[in-house]
Amino acid sequence: MRRLLFAANWKMHLGPREAREYLKTFTLRYQRRDDRDVWFFPPAVSLEAAAQAVRDRGDLWVGVQDVYWEPKGAFTGAVSAPLAAQAGAQAALVGHSERRHVFGETDPETRKKVHAALSADLALVLCVGETLPEREAGRTLAVVTRQLDGALGGGGLDAAALARVTVAYEPVWAIGTGRNATPQDAAAVHREIRAWLAGCGAQRTRILYGGSVNLKNIAELLSEPELDGVLVGGASLDPEAWGQLVQTGAE
Ligand code: PGA
């Protein structure tokens, strides 16, 4: 049975006080289920508060939204993987489209962040996905493959490191737009990602879909067996609604 992963990307929302309140509500609303994991990616300033709030719940993980590749040093404003781990992070999100397109992060930079996160023993969620012009030009698979090659390819990651990787397929045109990919469209890309990962010896990597996932479309998306879970921005910001969303398909 696949073990679903529901990942909440809070982006630049919910400070420490709000994170504590949120998680108090959420943990009352959602009890542990063995068929799924729930991860939260709060802003770095809220990591410690969030980690503390879920410390009694092994099924709930907290992760950092981005890391810088150096472990420490004179890099004003940056957060490294070991510092995030010290604050309670168990995972890192790397290569999110907002890092790539708003902050201009390149494939080689994403790669350095992947290695930094895995070296700090964090689990990794690597985001990949094409823009609308790339999709319309029929370049979706070329772009996703380039991003996978750039971040994970060329050897250098052993089986233990690869086992800690999750890939999130997030078409840029679907993020925050209210326009989600159809389950079939997502599945077609997931199959390519799965084939690419199998070529690296990674057989059991979870592949998530992200982009305008909400309470209305989650059941249909998860009925597609290629989707091992979801990465959700906007619809993860309300603890009641997220508490409901993460129980999709639960008996
Ligand atoms: P969205 O964001 O759910 O608000 O579209 C998803 C993401 O950016 O991870």
Side-chain angles (χ1 to χ4, degrees), residues 13-84:
H13 298 282
L14 304 178
R17 177 178 51 74
E18 295 161 315
R20 272 190 292 271
E21 283 164 11
Y22 175 116
L23 288 165
K24 203 168 160 187
T25 306
F26 178 82
T27 48
L28 288 172
R29 189 112 178 48
Y30 173 72
Q31 306 306 322
R32 181 191 192 103
R33 295 190 54 86
D34 288 336
D35 63 346
R36 60 197 62 203
D37 300 309
V38 183
W39 294 3
F40 294 92
F41 291 91
V45 293
S46 303
L47 268 178
E48 192 167 10
Q52 285 291 324
V54 299
R55 66 182 179 281
D56 298 330
R57 290 282 302 264
D59 59 322
L60 307 179
W61 281 22
V62 165
V64 62
Q65 291 176 12
D66 181 43
V67 291
Y68 191 60
W69 49 83
E70 294 292 342
K72 63 182 175 185
F75 303 102
T76 301
V79 174
S80 72
L83 292 182

Side-chain angles (χ1 to χ4, degrees), residues 182-218:
T182 65
Q184 297 71 28
D185 282 345
V189 181
H190 281 217
R191 275 190 281 276
E192 297 292 332
I193 294 172
R194 220 173 278 289
W196 189 96
L197 288 163
C200 297
Q203 307 286 353
R204 287 198 304 273
T205 308
R206 282 193 286 203
I207 304 175
L208 314 181
Y209 166 76
S212 295
V213 176
N214 57 38
L215 268 172
K216 289 206 182 79
N217 57 26
I218 181 73

Side-chain angles (χ1 to χ4, degrees), residues 7-11 93 96-98 127 168 170-172 174-179 209-214 230-237:
N9 176 11
W10 289 352
K11 307 193 180 183
L93 199 61
H96 189 275
S97 80
E98 284 144 26
C127 303
E170 296 208 304
V172 180
I175 295 178
T177 58
R179 180 181 167 202
Y209 166 76
S212 295
V213 176
N214 57 38
V230 285
L231 176 58
V232 183
S236 73
L237 292 177

Side-chain angles (χ1 to χ4, degrees), residues 81-82 112-122 161 164:
K112 288 196 263 186
K113 293 179 176 193
V114 164
H115 283 258
L118 292 171
S119 313
D121 283 334
L122 297 175
R164 276 186 285 122

Side-chain angles (χ1 to χ4, degrees), residues 146-157:
R146 190 205 75 220
Q147 291 170 332
L148 290 169
D149 284 339
L152 304 175
L157 289 178

